[in-house]
């Protein structure tokens, strides 16, 4: 009996998926048992209270899974038959864990999608099929399960098979349908006696006949650099796993995104000299020239280089409870490269039942959408349909560091190639020198009614009195012009802050001291604003007042409207305010007058120890 992949046999990686309670864990447990991949001592642990074998326990390893009777995590199992070796990923069916299913699909050659014979094709069945198609897993086996509970009804099986096959064809999947019973083992690894009307292959026979993916063997050489090793001064090697193609000493290679071309000197796979290396191998490569190459860069065939760009259209699977918000900055990780990214436009989201494109301002948990992305730097890539490794990425929340989305690049946007930065001869330092001051951005944040605008006005008035060149961007004024098209949803607030920050950055680049007075309720966007300024001094100023105090003031009558339900998405009432955790200046307007608060801010800004923020140029 062999329970690990054999190097002498062809290897197939496949995933099981479908809706919750369709019997995935039972089916895979039965398959493992029937091919002899379960040790005797483990079989004894599968016996339930009635003395029957519970095959789901083979892959439902978490205590929570056993208690709830559902799969939560992805369980990997290895087994072999005389014809080939397999790695199976049993993935969750519950909507809450769709992200785990997508993780399992990212490395699969094929998939088994289950449909309960009594329930048929469900929304989650279609969602999983759509995700498989997006991730390039086009070989699908439809296992119509629990046929024993449906009295082995041929019409029921054929109806489910026809419905799913029709849907699968629309998303580009090739389907083989098989009626099975995990409980009895019929048509899993052996032919069933009850469904005599079925004459096709068993599930195991079908899996043994499926071709594995080529894993980039037919593509030009590509490798993302994972690291640089220098054991001594005479050796510099670049480590990584070859994503596609093959490479030999003497091959001309190009480094991306720099575009520098050089020649491969040696191939170490992984530590011994090798005449060549191929896709899937981990290697150390040395080059004939000393070039600037580091983790996240890409080496590829000089004659067939990858494309580089900073704007894309991509399919995105959203995996977080909090919605995707256009304009919010995330980290995008592709291979070993991590760059700042934001969704600039959601073209549409997909109705997984009808495949109809739907207009959308945000993506919610488990939504699938087509989006435009803008990155903070160029990256080397290939379309996902050509190369899964160089075209697939994840999105990471910058505050929590949680993975919130998975994406598949379709193509670079034309404007990414047609728009180039124009060099400008007069720089910020020269503009600042003409004004005789150090530019900076003072970012006032706090609840509506806390006193931001009043205090910012007082600060600007005093700076102007001292001869400083300033400009005040006030949230209300901004919405009368630059942001007049935006509402107050979370997505609109994010875009409003992005516009304000971009305007502030340009004004500071012109040499001004810029004061921005915005509620700016989300930490992520305030962090984005800070990052956008680069080396321009940025002070976050928290104008702090308790909710009951600002409600009592309610100068504009907004809190009263919000309490009556006449104003939705109002910060502090039905939309959250995330207080700063490390603001440079924190003033409490419940305890200080506006004049006192302005004095504190000016004191910090003009008289900080070290180099004053507001120092005049000399």
């Amino acid at each position: 009996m062999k329970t690990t992949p054999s190097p002498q046999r062809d290897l197939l990686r496949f995933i099981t998926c479908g809706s919750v309670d369709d019997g995935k864990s039972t089916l895979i447990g039965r398959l493992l048992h029937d091919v002899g991949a379960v040790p005797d001592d483990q079989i004894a642990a599968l016996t339930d209270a009635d003395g029957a074998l519970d095959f789901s326990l083979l892959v439902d390893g978490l205590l929570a899974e056993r208690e709830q009777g559902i799969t939560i995590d992805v369980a990997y199992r290895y087994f072999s038959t005389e014809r080939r070796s397999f790695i199976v990923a049993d993935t969750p069916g519950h909507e809450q864990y769709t992200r785990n299913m997508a993780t399992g699909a990212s490395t699969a050659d094929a998939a088994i999608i289950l449909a309960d014979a009594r329930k048929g094709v469900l929304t989650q069945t279609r969602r999983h099929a759509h995700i498989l198609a997006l991730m390039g897993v086009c070989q699908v086996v439809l296992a119509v399960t629990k046929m024993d509970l449906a009295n082995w009804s041929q019409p029921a099986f054929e109806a489910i098979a026809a419905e799913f096959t029709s849907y699968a064809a629309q998303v580009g999947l090739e389907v083989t349908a098989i009626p099975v019973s995990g409980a009895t083992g019929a048509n899993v690894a052996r032919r069933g006696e009850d469904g005599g009307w079925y004459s096709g292959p068993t599930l195991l026979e079908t899996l043994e006949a499926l071709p594995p993916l080529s894993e980039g063997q037919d593509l030009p050489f590509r490798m993302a650099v994972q690291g640089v090793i220098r054991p001594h001064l005479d050796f510099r090697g670049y480590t990584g796993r070859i994503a596609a193609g093959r490479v030999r000493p003497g091959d001309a290679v190009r480094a991306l995104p720099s575009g520098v071309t050089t020649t491969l000197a040696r191939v170490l796979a992984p530590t011994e000299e090798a005449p060549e290396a191929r896709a899937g191998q981990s290697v150390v490569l040395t080059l004939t020239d000393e070039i600037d190459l580091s983790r996240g860069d890409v080496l590829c065939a000089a004659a067939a280089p990858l494309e580089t760009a900073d704007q894309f259209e991509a399919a995105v699977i959203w995996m977080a409870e909090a919605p995707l918000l256009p304009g919010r900055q995330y980290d995008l990780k592709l291979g070993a490269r991590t760059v700042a990214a934001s969704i600039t436009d959601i073209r549409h989201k997909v109705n997984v039942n009808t495949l109809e494109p739907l207009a959308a301002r945000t993506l919610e948990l488990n939504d699938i959408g087509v989006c435009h992305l803008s990155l903070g730097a160029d990256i080397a890539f290939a379309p996902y349909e050509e190369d899964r490794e160089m075209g697939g990425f994840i999105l990471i929340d910058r505050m929590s560091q949680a993975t919130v989305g998975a994406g598949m690049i379709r193509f670079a946007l034309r404007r990414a190639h047609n728009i180039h930065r124009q060099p400008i001869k007069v720089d910020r330092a020269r503009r600042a020198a003409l004004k005789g001051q150090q530019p900076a951005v003072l970012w006032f944040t706090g609840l509506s009614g806390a006193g931001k605008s009043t205090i910012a006005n007082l600060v600007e008035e005093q700076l102007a009195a001292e001869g400083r060149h300033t400009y005040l961007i006030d949230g209300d004024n901004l919405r009368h012009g630059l942001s007049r098209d935006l509402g107050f949803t979370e997505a609109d607030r994010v875009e409003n802050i992005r516009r304000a920050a971009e305007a502030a950055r340009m004004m500071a680049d012109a040499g001004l001291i810029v004061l921005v007075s915005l509620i700016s309720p989300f930490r992520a966007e305030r962090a984005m604003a800070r990052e956008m300024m680069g080396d321009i001094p940025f002070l976050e100023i928290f104008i702090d007042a308790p909710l009951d105090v600002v409600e009592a003031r309610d100068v504009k009558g907004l809190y009263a409207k919000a309490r009556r339900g006449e104003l939705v998405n109002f910060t502090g009432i039905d939309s959250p305010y995330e207080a700063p955790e490390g603001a440079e200046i924190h003033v409490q307007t419940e305890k200080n007058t506006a004049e006192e608060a302005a004095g504190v801010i000016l004191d910090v800004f003009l008289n900080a120890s070290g180099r004053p923020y507001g120092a005049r140029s000399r």
Side-chain angles (χ1 to χ4, degrees):
M1 179 184 69
K2 295 182 178 180
T3 59
T4 57
S6 168
Q8 287 76 38
R9 294 182 175 89
D10 185 24
L11 175 65
L12 183 82
R13 299 178 178 88
F14 70 93
I15 178 178
T16 62
C17 50
S19 190
V20 68
D21 289 333
D22 278 348
K24 293 177 296 300
S25 299
T26 298
L27 181 68
I28 295 307
R30 165 63 76 172
L31 178 62
L32 293 171
H33 174 271
D34 288 0
V35 299
V38 184
D40 293 340
D41 59 342
Q42 201 169 358
I43 291 176
L46 304 180
T47 305
D48 62 19
D50 298 325
L53 292 178
D54 185 351
F55 294 106
S56 69
L57 299 180
L58 278 171
V59 283
D60 281 347
L62 298 177
L63 177 60
E65 292 177 329
R66 299 190 181 198
E67 289 176 343
Q68 298 179 43
I70 62 172
T71 300
I72 296 173
D73 203 0
V74 180
Y76 292 92
R77 283 283 178 162
Y78 311 87
F79 67 97
S80 295
T81 66
E82 292 184 359
R83 297 184 61 181
R84 82 182 326 166
S85 296
F86 300 91
I87 299 176
V88 54
D90 180 40
T91 67
H94 198 286
E95 275 192 52
Q96 182 181 352
Y97 305 109
T98 299
R99 61 178 77 92
N100 296 15
M101 176 268 163
T103 300
S106 65
T107 57
D109 302 316
I112 301 174
I113 292 187
L114 286 78
D116 188 324
R118 302 164 301 168
K119 300 177 182 177
V121 179
L122 306 176
T123 296
Q124 187 71 337
T125 319
R126 297 185 181 92
R127 179 180 288 111
H128 282 182
H130 196 97
I131 291 172
L132 290 172
L134 288 174
M135 292 196 156
V137 186
C138 295
Q139 301 179 115
V140 172
V141 179
L142 174 67
V144 181
T145 60
K146 305 185 182 180
M147 287 297 298
D148 53 316
L149 301 181
N151 297 318
W152 286 92
S153 168
Q154 183 176 359
F157 166 75
E158 291 177 346
I160 293 170
E163 181 182 355
F164 182 80
T165 301
S166 174
Y167 181 89
Q170 296 178 67
V171 295
L173 299 180
E174 301 173 9
V175 179
T176 300
I178 303 173
V180 300
S181 169
T184 67
N187 294 337
V188 178
R190 59 171 178 78
R191 193 158 307 283
E193 298 176 358
D194 295 321
W197 45 265
Y198 175 73
S199 59
T202 65
L203 179 63
L204 180 60
E205 289 170 341
T206 302
L207 292 173
E208 288 179 326
L210 289 175
L213 295 183
S214 63
E215 294 189 347
Q217 299 289 353
D218 299 329
L219 296 172
F221 165 67
R222 299 162 181 174
M223 186 190 86
V225 175
Q226 294 284 348
V228 182
I229 56 174
R230 296 207 65 184
H232 51 77
L233 293 176
D234 298 325
F235 184 92
R236 183 192 296 268
Y238 302 96
T239 65
R241 179 181 177 275
I242 298 177
R246 62 183 67 186
V247 67
R248 303 178 181 90
D251 285 354
V253 294
R254 181 171 297 183
L256 296 174
S258 69
V260 175
T261 300
T262 184
T263 303
L264 196 68
R266 300 168 65 192
V267 177
L268 304 175
T271 58
E272 297 181 355
E273 204 91 21
E276 76 167 20
R278 301 188 178 195
Q281 286 185 267
S282 295
V283 296
V284 179
L285 305 179
T286 67
L287 307 175
T288 58
D289 303 300
E290 291 279 343
I291 66 173
D292 185 11
L293 190 64
S294 59
R295 176 177 170 81
D297 291 340
V298 172
L299 285 170
C300 59
L306 289 168
E307 191 176 356
T308 60
D310 64 354
Q311 297 182 66
F312 308 96
E313 179 168 293
V316 173
I317 305 167
W318 193 246
M319 302 176 172
E321 298 286 347
L324 180 154
L325 299 177
R328 173 165 287 181
Q329 284 205 333
Y330 302 94
D331 281 334
L332 180 147
K333 190 175 190 302
L334 190 157
R337 187 79 188 275
T338 302
V339 296
S342 63
I343 306 297
T344 56
D345 181 28
I346 298 176
R347 307 298 292 172
H348 64 263
K349 69 177 182 179
V350 178
N351 180 324
V352 294
N353 287 308
T354 65
L355 299 179
E356 176 188 8
L358 304 173
R361 297 291 299 275
T362 65
L363 294 183
E364 304 289 340
L365 176 65
N366 297 330
D367 276 348
I368 299 170
V370 174
C371 305
H372 286 175
L373 292 91
S374 178
L375 278 55
D378 281 356
I379 62 170
F381 76 98
Y384 187 84
E385 65 178 5
E386 172 190 314
D387 187 336
R388 292 205 289 182
E389 192 159 335
M390 299 305 301
F393 61 86
I394 60 172
L395 293 172
I396 302 168
D397 184 272
R398 307 188 87 184
M399 304 300 288
S400 68
Q401 294 301 300
T403 298
V404 293
M408 289 66 66
I409 293 175
R410 292 185 166 186
F411 51 81
L413 299 181
R414 182 176 296 178
R415 60 176 177 261
H417 299 299
N418 294 344
I419 300 175
H420 306 280
R421 288 195 178 274
Q422 179 67 30
I424 297 173
K425 293 183 178 179
V426 178
D427 61 10
R428 186 198 315 149
R430 187 171 175 185
R431 299 187 196 104
L434 289 171
K435 294 179 174 59
Q437 66 182 29
Q438 168 74 18
V441 173
L442 283 67
W443 193 279
F444 294 74
T445 177
L447 291 170
S448 177
K452 297 182 301 300
S453 296
T454 300
I455 296 169
N457 267 296
L458 289 170
V459 171
E460 186 185 29
E461 189 176 19
Q462 184 60 41
L463 288 171
E466 296 194 13
R468 305 301 206 277
H469 297 261
T470 65
Y471 193 87
L472 172 58
I473 299 175
D474 184 83
D476 283 351
N477 294 341
L478 194 69
R479 287 184 175 276
H480 280 86
L482 186 62
S483 294
R484 68 185 303 170
D485 59 318
L486 299 178
F488 292 90
T489 65
E490 286 194 15
D492 284 342
R493 288 179 185 276
V494 170
E495 174 59 15
N496 185 51
I497 294 165
R498 188 197 66 80
R499 293 182 190 181
E502 188 64 41
R505 185 194 62 78
M506 290 190 289
M507 289 178 177
D509 199 52
L512 298 176
I513 297 170
V514 186
L515 299 87
V516 181
S517 175
L518 287 175
I519 294 173
S520 43
F522 307 124
R523 295 189 188 103
E525 278 59 63
R526 297 196 298 268
M528 173 191 71
R530 183 187 295 272
E531 185 172 313
M532 286 173 63
M533 300 310 149
D535 59 354
I536 298 171
F538 181 95
L539 280 78
E540 185 177 37
I541 303 169
F542 181 23
I543 307 300
D544 187 6
L547 181 60
D548 59 342
V549 171
V550 295
E551 277 203 78
R553 295 172 183 169
D554 204 9
V555 178
K556 303 173 185 177
L558 300 178
Y559 285 97
K561 286 185 178 180
R563 291 294 188 189
R564 293 194 300 268
E566 299 170 8
L567 194 60
V568 297
N569 298 316
F570 190 75
T571 302
I573 304 301
D574 58 348
S575 184
Y577 178 79
E578 299 172 357
E581 295 176 332
E584 282 81 6
I585 303 175
H586 182 183
V587 294
Q588 296 176 294
T589 57
E590 183 185 20
K591 301 177 180 178
N592 302 103
T593 65
E595 289 75 14
E596 290 170 340
V600 169
I601 294 165
L602 285 163
D603 184 58
V604 173
F605 179 63
L606 297 174
N607 303 303
S609 60
R611 183 178 182 182
Y613 288 111
R616 292 180 180 276
S617 301
R618 298 185 184 277

